[in-house]
């Protein structure tokens, strides 16, 4: 059963009933101002940093789930009935409910007592504000006398503090109201130079800014006192919980439609121009007023919305595929690319499953996000690469996370996740291949953000590699540190105390436990760096890196192969993890994927053997599980992985993030059938018809699908912010469809199912549009290329002459 359907033409998912199994959300904003919005209007907004600049309040882990939102109430003043067009918070039985999530906007509405109401929510490009454009239509035969009430609850900026420090917060809230605009200015008088505003396009019948007055004692948002009585109290918040609510009266003739625009925005003033007059404590509104006036006009709103549409049109046209499979087309052309933007912007910080409080941007996460994002907005990718590298330590190590607002490494979680530095090399390599912007390697970048420590980015990459070499264990494999990609395989933690963080507690000195996964990564990263060095003319560097890669390759073959698959690790006792010798957790997905990505086992058949093992032991109809057999008890020496009940998360869940590693590996060994089969198993659109089981949104990937050991096998969790987005995009576009940027040009090397007759891709690469038609004439996946009518050797399309902006490529697969 499904809860809606895709409209690919409009690039929307249309939800047709409000009671989805979980809130199905969307993101507003793609630059600095962001909002999360659920299909019933729930969610919150923030400027840049979900923790430090939270505009509106949200209550996590609530019932109903998505509470705290952008709520509008309509009231029929003839009979006192009131309802919310987005269903929440009143949950009236409305007709024709629909929520259309699109690219950077959502439109939610319904009809109640012949009044149709629909709100378009979006963030205009280049602005730090969100627009709610409400349209109300009287479908009845009699005139309608209506009241509209808007409502939001302000967050007192620091979302962590807001949710905990009540003894202070109940006394700090402050607002100002001027010309009907509500200004939220808590802490503005002292150390903040920013405020929020909530404005409305229509003449107000009243307003409220104090929550308890608006709701009334012992009432909640489903039945606010103000809405029930049909009149605002014009309350002025001081302390307690400041909110924003406008009251507008609308008289509609039969058939008439009226629009009301609400703006919620964030604004900063220069420190020395905070007040107006300067000696007062009144917010200086001189620079914000023109912005408000501009966006309260419906002509501006419409043209801003059109610009947003065009923006997405332009971004998505950079890679468009037409294949025999509509789920592939839909995800590649629309939703997967869109999700890559969200993960790039948020890393893992703010969703309905990440509170926006605990985590800033992850070092390894953000580097991986580049894989799916860099072709869309390369300038922002460049900035991100530099920001990430600037948090690197002089040892080559990395903070695991950093705060986007301060761009500083996060001391609470620290470093010593020994895979982290290597991701920088893979992120930079992806950036270089896509953009050809070699100048980035010479950009001076500090270590740990300390002035005067600047070194060329290239040196950061060298140190990343050296970091691994400086930390080899007894078998010559990389020491794992706190954890590698798998944050939950904590081989040095040994935690037996409740409440200790598995990520930050380290009870062993870490000189024994080794990771075969990092070894695979090292081989890949060292080869990438060698390629980079060669292209910079640093041949002796390149030679060294290749030698180091070779050595590690040999070590993996010697100490990292278990007979039928790659081993996962050695624990603190030097015992194998992910081996047939283990009682549980005999085989793990990560080293199978990553060792093969690095090219290990390609020549001697180990790769194929490992992939067959994955297929035999780890694959389920819902995707490939992380490991098997699941851990049935807590293993002190393995850490968090064994803390999850079997089938969930890292303990034998289907961790969607590393399924694409196996897809890529299958593509590399030429098995297009299997690669694509795995791709479809977790493709959200292909799972739409089982929404009741899957439960998460059918238009974006979730981090995890419960594995076969869980009672809810097939149920997804933690949608939106996951490396799954970038890796699936990378796997399908670059390895299965096989259109891959390389240093010497665009490669066409598909590994598609044998049943496909072909496909087309239109792809912009370094200023040139490539129109690629792939036709199958044989059963295999060997491509022969004809470029602009002329056959070329190999599978890389040579760069066209200067000035040429369009190239036609015909590839035949034999
Ligand atoms: C989760 C991991 C996550 C880690 C750090 C663990 O509880 O299972 O997926 O990476 O926390 O946030
Ligand atoms: C989620 C984290 O964000 C990511 O960095 C990690 O690799 C996976 N969990 C697996 O533990």
């Amino acid at each position: 059963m499904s809860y809606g359907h895709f409209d690919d033409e409009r690039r929307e998912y249309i939800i047709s009933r409000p009671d989805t199994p979980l809130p199905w959300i969307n993101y507003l904003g793609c630059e600095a101002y962001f909002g999360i919005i659920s299909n019933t209007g729930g969610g919150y907004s923030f400027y840049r940093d979900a923790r430090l600049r939270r505009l509106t309040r949200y209550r996590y882990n609530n019932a109903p789930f998505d509470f705290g939102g952008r709520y509008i109430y309509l009231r029929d003043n003839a009979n006192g009935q009131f309802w919310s067009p987005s269903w929440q918070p009143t949950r009236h039985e409305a007709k024709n409910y629909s929520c259309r999530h699109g690219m950077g906007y959502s439109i939610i509405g319904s009809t109640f007592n012949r009044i149709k109401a629909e709100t378009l929510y979006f963030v205009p490009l280049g602005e730090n504000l969100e627009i709610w454009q409400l349209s109300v239509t009287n479908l009845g035969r009699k005139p309608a006398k209506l009241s509209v009430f808007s409502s939001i609850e302000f967050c007192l900026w620091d979302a962590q503090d807001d949710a905990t420090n009540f003894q202070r917060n109940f006394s700090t809230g402050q607002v100002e109201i001027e010309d009907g605009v509500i200004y939220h200015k808590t802490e503005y008088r002292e150390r903040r130079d920013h405020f929020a505003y909530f404005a409305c396009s229509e003449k107000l019948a009243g307003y409220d800014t104090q929550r308890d007055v608006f709701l009334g004692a012992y009432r909640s948002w489903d039945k606010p006192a103000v809405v029930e009585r049909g009149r605002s109290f014009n309350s002025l918040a001081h302390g307690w919980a400041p909110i924003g609510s406008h009251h507008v009266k609308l008289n509609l003739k039969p058939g008439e439609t009226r629009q009301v625009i609400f703006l919620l925005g964030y604004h900063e003033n220069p420190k020395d121009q905070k007040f107006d007059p300067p000696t007062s404590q009144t917010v200086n509104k001189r620079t914000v007023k023109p912005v408000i006036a501009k966006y309260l006009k419906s002509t501006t709103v419409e043209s801003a919305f059109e610009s947003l549409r065009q923006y997405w049109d332009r971004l998505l046209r950079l890679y468009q595929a037409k294949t025999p499979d509509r789920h592939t087309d839909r995800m590649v052309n629309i939703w997967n690319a869109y999700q890559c933007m969200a993960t790039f912007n948020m890393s893992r910080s703010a969703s309905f499953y990440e509170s926006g409080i605990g985590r800033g941007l992850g070092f390894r996460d953000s580097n991986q996000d580049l894989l799916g994002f860099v072709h869309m907005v390369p300038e922002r990718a460049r900035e991100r690469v530099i920001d990430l590298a600037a948090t690197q330590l002089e040892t080559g190590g990395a903070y695991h996370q950093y705060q986007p607002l301060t761009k500083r490494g996060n001391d609470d979680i620290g470093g010593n996740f020994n895979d982290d530095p290597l991701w920088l090399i893979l992120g930079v390599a992806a950036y270089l291949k896509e953009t050809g912007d070699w100048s980035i390697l010479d950009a001076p970048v500090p270590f740990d953000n300390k002035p005067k420590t600047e070194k060329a980015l290239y040196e950061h990459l060298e140190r990343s590699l050296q970091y691994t070499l400086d930390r080899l264990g007894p078998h010559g494999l990389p020491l794992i540190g706190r954890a590698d990609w798998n944050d939950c395989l904590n081989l040095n933690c040994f935690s037996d105390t409740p409440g200790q963080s598995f990520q930050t507690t380290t009870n062993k000195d870490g000189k024994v436990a080794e990771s075969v996964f990092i070894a695979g990564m090292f081989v890949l990263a060292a080869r990438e760096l060698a390629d980079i060095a060669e292209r910079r003319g640093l041949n002796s560097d390149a030679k060294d890196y290749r030698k180091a890669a070779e050595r590690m390759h040999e070590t993996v073959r010697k100490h990292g192969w278990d007979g039928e698959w790659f081993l996962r690790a050695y624990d603190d006792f030097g015992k194998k993890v992910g081996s047939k010798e283990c009682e549980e957790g005999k085989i793990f997905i990560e080293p199978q994927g990553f060792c093969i990505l690095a090219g290990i086992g390609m020549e001697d058949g180990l790769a194929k053997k490992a992939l067959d093992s994955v297929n035999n032991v780890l694959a389920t109809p819902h995707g490939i599980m992380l490991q098997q057999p699941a851990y049935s008890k807590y293993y002190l020496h393995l850490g968090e992985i064994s803390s999850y009940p079997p089938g969930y998360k890292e303990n034998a869940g289907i961790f969607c993030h590393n399924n694409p590693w196996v897809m890529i590996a299958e593509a590399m060994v030429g098995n297009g059938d299997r690669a694509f089969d795995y791709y479809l198993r977790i493709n959200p659109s292909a799972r739409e018809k089982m929404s009741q089981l899957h439960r998460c949104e059918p238009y974006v990937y979730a981090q995890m699908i419960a594995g076969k050991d869980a009672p809810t096998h097939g149920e997804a969790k933690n949608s939106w912010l996951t490396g799954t987005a970038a890796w699936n995009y990378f796997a399908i576009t670059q390895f299965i469809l096989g259109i891959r940027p390389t240093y010497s040009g665009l490669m066409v090397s598909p590994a598609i199912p044998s049943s496909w007759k072909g496909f087309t891709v239109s792809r912009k690469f370094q200023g040139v549009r490539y129109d690629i038609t792939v036709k199958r004439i044989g059963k295999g996946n060997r491509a022969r290329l004809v470029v602009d009518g002329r056959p070329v050797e190999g599978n890389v399309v040579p760069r066209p002459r200067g000035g040429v902006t369009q190239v036609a490529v015909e590839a035949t697969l034999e």
Side-chain angles (χ1 to χ4, degrees):
M1 176 187 154
S2 48
Y3 293 76
H5 64 275
F6 287 91
D7 181 339
D8 294 338
E9 203 56 39
R10 299 172 59 97
R11 301 187 182 127
E12 290 175 347
Y13 190 82
I14 306 179
I15 302 167
S16 48
R17 46 187 291 182
D19 55 341
T20 46
L22 289 164
W24 285 4
I25 71 168
N26 193 13
Y27 283 86
L28 308 176
C30 41
E31 296 163 320
Y33 183 103
F34 298 104
I36 303 179
I37 186 162
S38 78
N39 55 308
T40 66
Y44 60 94
S45 301
F46 58 95
Y47 171 72
R48 285 194 191 275
D49 191 312
R51 171 167 176 180
L52 300 175
R53 290 284 190 283
R54 184 82 64 106
L55 265 82
T56 59
R57 189 170 280 159
Y58 181 76
R59 290 185 176 73
Y60 280 91
N61 202 356
N62 212 333
F65 196 110
D66 59 337
F67 214 72
R70 300 169 185 82
Y71 296 132
I72 287 175
Y73 302 86
L74 291 184
R75 181 178 189 276
D76 186 339
N77 290 332
N79 58 19
Q81 273 193 319
F82 62 89
W83 70 99
S84 304
S86 66
W87 196 57
Q88 285 259 57
T90 62
R91 294 191 293 280
H92 276 70
E93 289 257 339
K95 292 202 184 105
N96 297 328
Y97 160 90
S98 86
C99 166
R100 283 146 56 189
H101 285 319
M103 306 288 104
Y105 67 89
S106 293
I107 303 173
I108 313 178
S110 61
T111 301
F112 186 76
N113 281 359
R114 298 203 173 79
I115 302 295
K116 178 177 171 211
E118 189 172 85
T119 315
L120 160 68
Y121 301 89
F122 73 101
V123 175
L125 293 169
E127 300 289 357
N128 296 323
L129 58 89
E130 66 186 64
I131 293 172
W132 317 358
Q133 186 190 37
L134 168 72
S135 307
V136 189
T137 306
N138 180 2
L139 300 177
R141 292 209 195 100
K142 288 194 229 124
K145 283 183 184 259
L146 304 175
S147 279
V148 179
F149 294 91
S150 62
S151 71
I152 44 136
E153 191 173 355
F154 291 111
C155 179
L156 308 187
W157 303 117
D158 181 330
Q160 161 91 19
D161 193 65
D162 181 76
T164 45
N165 194 5
F166 306 112
Q167 61 78 29
R168 170 177 162 83
N169 296 344
F170 285 160
S171 295
T172 55
Q174 281 191 306
V175 296
E176 267 178 41
I177 296 137
E178 195 177 309
D179 303 333
V181 181
I182 297 165
Y183 295 90
H184 173 230
K185 60 166 193 178
T186 300
E187 291 187 345
Y188 186 75
R189 65 211 295 267
E190 22 124 1
R191 291 166 297 179
R192 293 185 186 273
D193 48 14
H194 55 87
F195 58 88
Y197 56 89
F198 191 35
C200 171
S201 60
E202 305 307 297
K203 191 170 155 285
L204 297 191
Y207 59 82
D208 274 288
T209 64
Q210 186 67 285
R211 186 183 71 199
D212 293 352
V213 174
F214 178 75
L215 296 180
Y218 287 91
R219 281 163 176 259
S220 186
W221 296 84
D222 56 342
K223 233 168 128 198
V226 159
V227 181
E228 193 173 83
R229 77 175 199 146
R231 219 158 11 99
S232 298
F233 286 101
N234 296 345
S235 57
L236 192 67
H238 38 85
W240 298 114
I243 61 154
S245 170
H246 309 97
H247 176 198
V248 172
K249 287 193 173 157
L250 287 185
N251 292 334
L252 295 182
K253 291 187 234 119
E256 189 183 355
T257 299
R258 286 274 301 276
Q259 276 192 3
V260 186
I261 298 164
F262 298 99
L263 297 185
L264 173 64
Y266 169 92
H267 197 74
E268 282 174 9
N269 274 333
K271 276 201 192 332
D272 55 349
Q273 292 166 36
K274 279 173 59 169
F275 303 108
D276 184 22
T279 50
S280 74
Q281 292 290 295
T282 311
V283 173
N284 176 357
K285 307 181 184 80
R286 267 184 247 174
T287 52
V288 75
K289 276 186 178 170
V291 182
I292 297 176
K294 181 174 168 195
Y295 284 97
L296 285 179
K297 286 201 211 93
S298 59
T299 46
T300 324
V301 169
E302 264 130 44
S303 68
F305 187 53
E306 186 49 35
S307 305
L308 182 68
R309 274 189 179 276
Q310 284 171 9
Y311 174 75
W312 275 105
D313 199 54
R314 192 177 61 72
L315 289 187
L316 296 178
R317 263 191 295 123
L318 296 169
Y319 193 119
Q320 288 288 301
K322 231 192 190 130
T323 75
D325 178 66
R326 76 196 144 99
H327 304 298
T328 305
D329 291 1
R330 180 178 282 156
M331 291 310 292
V332 167
N333 298 340
I334 308 172
W335 290 99
N336 195 178
Y338 181 63
Q339 188 181 3
C340 285
M341 170 73 95
T343 54
F344 174 84
N345 282 326
M346 308 286 139
S347 193
R348 308 297 169 264
S349 70
S351 72
F352 272 17
Y353 310 94
E354 301 285 3
S355 67
I357 291 174
R359 309 180 56 173
L361 302 194
F363 191 90
R364 79 157 83 88
D365 296 332
S366 291
N367 272 303
Q368 292 170 82
D369 292 344
L370 288 170
L371 299 177
F373 176 82
V374 58
H375 69 293
M376 289 201 273
V377 192
E379 317 81 68
R380 292 189 58 207
R382 186 182 211 272
E383 184 190 351
R384 178 65 52 82
V385 166
I386 304 273
D387 286 351
L388 283 164
T391 67
Q392 192 177 22
L393 304 167
E394 299 203 48
T395 58
Y399 283 102
H400 199 46
Q401 289 156 13
Y402 75 96
Q403 271 323 112
L405 196 71
T406 60
K407 299 193 172 174
R408 298 285 152 139
N410 189 338
D411 282 319
D412 293 346
I413 178 133
N416 298 334
F417 293 78
N418 283 352
D419 62 317
D420 270 339
L422 293 173
W423 291 108
L424 185 64
I425 300 177
L426 302 186
V428 170
Y431 174 82
L432 289 172
K433 286 177 193 165
E434 180 67 42
T435 62
D437 168 22
W438 291 88
S439 73
I440 195 174
L441 293 174
D442 298 313
V445 184
F447 289 96
D448 198 8
N449 276 296
K450 290 203 187 92
K452 303 222 176 76
T453 60
E454 288 82 1
K455 288 273 183 298
L457 177 65
Y458 178 75
E459 185 162 336
H460 283 256
L461 304 186
E462 291 187 289
R463 292 205 195 177
S464 292
L465 214 57
Q466 192 56 42
Y467 179 88
T468 307
L469 292 175
D470 291 345
R471 288 164 184 76
L472 297 179
H475 299 90
L477 292 162
L479 291 171
I480 197 166
R482 281 183 174 162
D484 59 24
W485 173 87
N486 189 335
D487 275 328
C488 298
L489 190 61
N490 315 118
L491 303 182
N492 293 304
C493 181
F494 287 79
S495 173
D496 55 7
T497 309
Q500 274 183 344
S501 157
F502 286 105
Q503 262 79 58
T504 56
T505 307
T506 308
N507 289 318
K508 293 288 171 165
D509 63 3
K511 296 283 188 312
V512 181
E514 298 167 298
S515 162
V516 177
F517 169 79
I518 302 183
M521 243 194 116
F522 178 86
V523 173
L524 181 61
R527 289 185 176 152
E528 290 285 5
L529 195 55
D531 286 349
I532 293 172
E534 241 157 47
R535 279 178 172 71
R536 276 171 73 85
L538 302 170
N539 291 333
S540 94
D541 281 13
K543 234 166 93 200
D544 289 349
Y545 302 146
R546 287 206 199 286
K547 240 195 252 148
E550 262 331 292
R551 227 176 296 129
M552 190 64 80
H553 188 152
E554 269 320 297
T555 311
V556 171
R557 290 174 47 124
K558 204 151 149 212
H559 298 293
W561 179 252
D562 196 53
E564 303 288 324
W565 53 75
F566 293 100
L567 210 63
R568 180 63 178 83
Y570 287 93
D571 66 21
D572 183 58
F573 309 105
K575 287 227 181 80
K576 293 175 182 169
V577 180
S579 154
K580 55 181 180 298
E581 293 166 20
C582 304
E583 209 173 301
E584 300 182 314
K586 288 175 192 284
I587 169 171
F588 280 66
I589 191 172
E590 306 99 310
Q592 321 312 325
F594 242 83
C595 289
I596 301 172
L597 250 73
I600 305 174
M602 292 294 284
E603 279 135 37
D604 51 15
L606 299 190
K608 280 201 169 148
K609 217 176 204 180
L611 288 170
D612 285 343
S613 301
V614 168
N615 193 248
N616 292 336
V617 190
L618 296 179
T620 80
H622 296 290
I624 310 167
M625 294 175 290
L626 194 144
Q627 112 272 20
Q628 276 293 302
Y631 294 117
S632 61
K633 52 180 188 260
Y634 179 52
Y635 292 84
L636 186 66
H637 66 291
L638 299 181
E640 184 170 1
I641 189 167
S642 56
S643 75
Y644 286 113
Y648 291 120
K649 295 276 287 179
E650 282 86 344
N651 188 11
I654 294 155
F655 222 88
C656 299
H657 185 136
N658 39 34
N659 277 232
W661 300 347
V662 175
M663 297 169 204
I664 296 172
E666 288 287 5
M668 285 171 63
V669 302
N671 199 340
D673 281 315
R674 248 203 220 154
F676 187 71
D677 177 13
Y678 288 147
Y679 172 74
L680 269 196
R681 292 186 202 196
I682 64 166
N683 177 306
S685 163
R687 298 175 64 77
E688 185 196 14
K689 291 283 169 286
M690 41 170 139
S691 281
Q692 254 175 327
L693 170 66
H694 184 80
R695 299 188 84 224
C696 281
E697 295 91 331
Y699 42 91
V700 289
Y701 286 96
Q703 182 199 52
M704 197 256 318
I705 296 174
K708 80 170 170 44
D709 302 283
T712 57
H713 182 33
E715 179 191 30
K717 271 192 197 132
N718 306 352
S719 59
W720 276 98
L721 301 187
T722 155
T724 310
W727 275 107
N728 271 284
Y729 190 81
F730 190 65
I732 184 73
T733 59
Q734 298 203 18
F735 285 85
I736 298 178
L737 301 180
I739 315 297
R740 200 176 318 154
T742 71
Y743 296 124
S744 40
L746 196 61
M747 182 185 278
V748 180
S749 173
I752 54 172
S754 45
S755 62
W756 281 21
K757 301 256 172 334
F759 65 92
T760 61
V761 163
S762 175
R763 212 274 195 204
K764 193 108 181 253
F765 176 59
Q766 298 183 359
V768 179
R769 163 119 355 237
Y770 293 82
D771 289 308
I772 303 161
T773 307
V774 177
K775 283 203 189 100
R776 177 180 280 307
I777 53 170
K779 281 220 172 323
N781 278 316
R782 219 171 70 109
R784 280 190 197 287
L785 304 190
V786 175
V787 179
D788 284 335
R790 249 172 268 139
V792 301
E793 278 295 308
N795 56 9
V796 176
V797 184
R799 284 218 166 73
R801 272 176 294 118
V804 176
T805 55
Q806 193 112 10
V807 171
V809 182
E810 287 191 31
T812 39
L813 297 186
E814 302 174 344

